[in-house]
Amino acid sequence: MSRPVPAVLAGACCLAWLAVTTGYAAPALAAPGGVDVGGAPLDDGTGSTNPAEPTVLEPGLWSDSLGGSDAQNTHHFTYDRRLRDSTVHVGVVGSPPSTDSDAVRVDVGYVDEDGSFSSCESDDDSITYGIPQSVLGAAVSVGQASADATDRPPCQSSATLRIEVSRGSSSVTAPMPIAIKVVEEARVGDAASLPEPAEAVDYAVPDAGDAEDLPGAASFDDAPELDASADGTTVSTTLAQGEEQLWRVGLDWGQQLVARVTAPAADEADFEGRYSGIPVRVRLVDPRRAVFALKDDDGEGSAEGQYHHDEALDIVAGTNPLRYRNRFDDDLPVVPGDHWVAVSVGPLDESSDLEALDVPVELTVAVTGEPAGAPSYPGVVTSPDEGTQVEGYSPEEPFLVAEETFSAVASGNPIGGDGWFSTRRWAGLGLAAASLACLGAGVVRLRARR
């Protein structure tokens, strides 16, 4: 007769089985050398390549993959407005799969009376040689055309918007993992009275303080949050060649973000046989997933630099103050919420016989300005078609970030892992609960046998 399985062993076996069947034990796959861009799977698994049969999107963060051929590198979607005269924010972020240059583009518009696609806004981003694995992202905001507009143009009034997401590379055949973000924002009635955009990009570069050892993550969901102040918060980490790390920083109306990356001059012996330095890049990602880096008006600060033995590395990227009217002048940023700081290091040439180097860096992040200039949203919003009141909305939570889910900020998204209760963390909580149940069952069984 077989001996009873010990309760602890039974629980452990149950845990292992759940880890295999749920897939939680393994992190989400990212592009080689790239980051996990997150997102929940689309119902059909991927976006439609047929413009006559577009995939329907809901508000949220959705994962997809763009192919490398002409037949697969453009995906077609539709989005039905939930709020009358709203602004719909659409962004796409990608993780390039190779060392070749790559690009993404998002185009949002509507179908006119003749059945033709009319574009409202488009944006694109590209990555070139040197640091090809850096995340790239583009985003648009479609709605009210100007601060003092009184008419209702189709881009604002159309109940259904068409979205095209495409890839600009012709040489890369490997698919690119992407995430598509859709957020809908209630319209404000006093846009013309809100603070105007800054006339020029102007920010103070923070001094590096005492550094805390805090590596970034290769995932948007898992990026550690920095409690940045006006004086700056400094963290240290080491990046291998070909690696990118992300940190998360919250930004409110009226505030401004500046990120500075420094590294000491390298050991000259490490650069023996190398003809140039190792490129390092810092870029910012907004809640919509647009990727950017702004120099100040004097041209000071650069999003890229070289880690070399000749001199220390010092690169800076910043933003304008976050104002509602930035969106009318194509100034960034445009919505409050989590912003990410991405630091990446160029890979070692595949044909090189040299050893890859680690680059020690310090990242200083500062958020200046007190929260101010927030728009006033209406007390009630209605649907575009029937004009019925939308449930769940409030002026304090004007951003529709998931179906029937409103948030105070554009990044408050429970779908696809944008926040603490991400898809993977819910899976983890479910796994823990199921594991405890299995362990309890094992204890009961063991006691019964005794």
Side-chain angles (χ1 to χ4, degrees):
M1 183 173 64
S2 61
R3 299 176 61 185
V5 178
V8 174
L9 179 59
C13 292
C14 185
L15 175 62
W17 177 82
L18 283 167
V20 171
T21 55
T22 61
Y24 182 76
L29 293 178
V35 303
D36 176 9
V37 294
L42 296 166
D43 289 341
D44 296 331
T46 184
S48 173
T49 58
N50 182 1
E53 298 179 355
T55 297
V56 177
L57 285 178
E58 297 177 354
L61 180 69
W62 308 101
S63 64
D64 197 0
S65 179
L66 292 176
S69 67
D70 292 340
Q72 297 176 329
N73 64 10
T74 299
H75 287 183
H76 304 270
F77 305 91
T78 60
Y79 177 77
D80 293 329
R81 270 190 167 100
R82 274 64 169 170
L83 315 177
R84 178 180 171 85
D85 290 345
S86 64
T87 295
V88 179
H89 307 280
V90 182
V92 56
V93 62
S95 185
S98 78
T99 56
D100 292 326
S101 58
D102 223 322
V104 294
R105 177 182 174 87
V106 59
D107 195 350
V108 180
Y110 63 95
V111 176
D112 60 24
E113 297 178 353
D114 297 330
S116 302
F117 174 77
S118 293
S119 176
C120 297
E121 297 285 346
S122 64
D123 188 30
D124 58 78
D125 188 31
S126 61
I127 231 65
T128 55
Y129 304 99
I131 314 181
Q133 86 287 356
S134 300
V135 292
L136 65 166
V140 297
S141 299
V142 175
Q144 186 176 352
S146 64
D148 54 359
T150 57
D151 57 345
R152 299 179 64 240
C155 293
Q156 176 183 326
S157 60
S158 292
T160 299
L161 295 175
R162 294 292 297 265
I163 302 170
E164 293 184 355
V165 175
S166 56
R167 186 176 180 185
S169 175
S170 59
S171 59
V172 182
T173 58
M176 180 196 295
I178 64 170
I180 303 168
K181 181 73 180 286
V182 181
V183 174
E184 193 168 354
E185 178 187 11
R187 186 189 181 190
V188 303
D190 61 344
S193 65
L194 293 172
E196 296 184 6
E199 295 183 359
V201 181
D202 183 24
Y203 50 72
V205 177
D207 295 326
D210 295 334
E212 173 192 1
D213 184 18
L214 184 62
S219 162
F220 279 84
D221 295 349
D222 298 329
E225 184 173 1
L226 300 180
D227 186 16
S229 66
D231 295 330
T233 296
T234 303
V235 298
S236 63
T237 187
T238 299
L239 293 95
Q241 284 195 256
E243 185 181 7
E244 183 166 35
Q245 295 181 14
L246 303 175
W247 293 260
R248 184 193 308 243
V249 184
L251 203 63
D252 203 348
W253 295 111
Q255 294 186 316
Q256 190 171 22
L257 170 63
V258 182
R260 180 183 190 183
V261 171
T262 60
D267 190 333
E268 188 172 357
D270 291 338
F271 273 80
E272 185 175 353
R274 299 175 188 267
Y275 297 102
S276 61
I278 299 173
V280 179
R281 173 183 291 135
V282 56
R283 302 184 86 191
L284 309 174
V285 187
D286 75 2
R288 306 172 305 160
R289 299 309 193 270
V291 180
F292 65 101
L294 303 181
K295 297 180 181 181
D296 67 18
D297 190 47
D298 295 327
E300 296 296 327
S302 173
E304 297 185 22
Q306 295 284 325
Y307 176 65
H308 206 274
H309 68 276
D310 290 341
E311 59 182 351
L313 173 74
D314 193 351
I315 53 180
V316 178
T319 75
N320 289 295
L322 171 56
R323 293 172 180 166
Y324 184 88
R325 291 175 62 175
N326 284 355
R327 65 190 65 188
F328 303 127
D329 290 350
D330 294 328
D331 289 337
L332 294 172
V334 299
V335 288
D338 286 336
H339 289 64
W340 288 263
V341 180
V343 181
S344 52
V345 175
L348 183 67
D349 192 321
E350 296 177 354
S351 62
S352 174
D353 56 359
L354 298 170
E355 292 186 2
L357 294 181
D358 291 337
V359 180
V361 303
E362 289 190 354
L363 167 66
T364 301
V365 174
V367 174
T368 59
E370 295 297 324
S376 297
Y377 294 94
V380 174
V381 294
T382 60
S383 60
D385 46 7
E386 301 175 358
T388 56
Q389 181 175 338
V390 176
E391 298 294 332
Y393 164 85
S394 72
E396 294 75 30
E397 295 185 333
F399 294 97
L400 182 65
V401 295
E403 200 66 85
E404 299 180 349
T405 303
F406 288 88
S407 172
V409 294
S411 58
N413 187 348
I415 288 185
D418 193 1
W420 196 91
F421 285 104
S422 65
T423 302
R424 288 166 60 188
R425 288 193 172 96
W426 276 117
L429 292 174
L431 175 60
S435 301
L436 290 175
C438 288
L439 185 59
V443 172
V444 171
R445 180 170 179 173
L446 179 58
R447 287 179 175 176
R449 285 180 179 271
R450 287 179 176 174

